[in-house]
Amino acid sequence: MEETWDRILSVKLKILFLACKHLLPVMRQQQSSCLINISSIAAICSMGLVAYQTSRAGVNGLTQTLAIGNSK
């Protein structure tokens, strides 16, 4: 069960975090960019798949935090 949790969070959330980590410096340098992350309705609705739901909610939280922290 823990292995499944780790795999889902790595594939669905950590990869997005790493992509943003490398994209944000380029976006800041260009001073004009837009980053769009796609989540799922699972982020706000119970689906019984706790790791998947958590990863999607994490995408929403990460995106919101990045948007607020990098706005002009």
Side-chain angles (χ1 to χ4, degrees):
M1 183 169 169
E2 186 175 343
E3 297 82 22
T4 301
W5 172 273
D6 290 341
R7 185 174 47 82
I8 290 173
L9 271 285
S10 288
V11 170
K12 301 290 187 185
L13 186 56
K14 186 175 181 179
I15 288 175
L16 178 64
F17 165 77
L18 293 173
C20 291
K21 174 184 168 185
H22 294 286
L23 287 171
L24 283 172
V26 174
M27 293 172 69
R28 286 186 194 117
Q29 184 179 11
Q30 292 176 349
Q31 297 181 349
S32 175
S33 309
C34 181
L35 178 64
I36 299 171
N37 294 325
I38 299 173
S39 180
S40 167
I41 192 71
I44 59 172
C45 296
S46 180
M47 294 189 58
L49 303 169
V50 68
Y52 180 76
Q53 185 175 356
T54 302
S55 72
R56 301 296 80 192
V59 168
N60 291 355
L62 177 64
T63 302
Q64 183 180 28
T65 301
L66 292 175
I68 292 168
N70 291 283
S71 62
K72 291 183 179 184

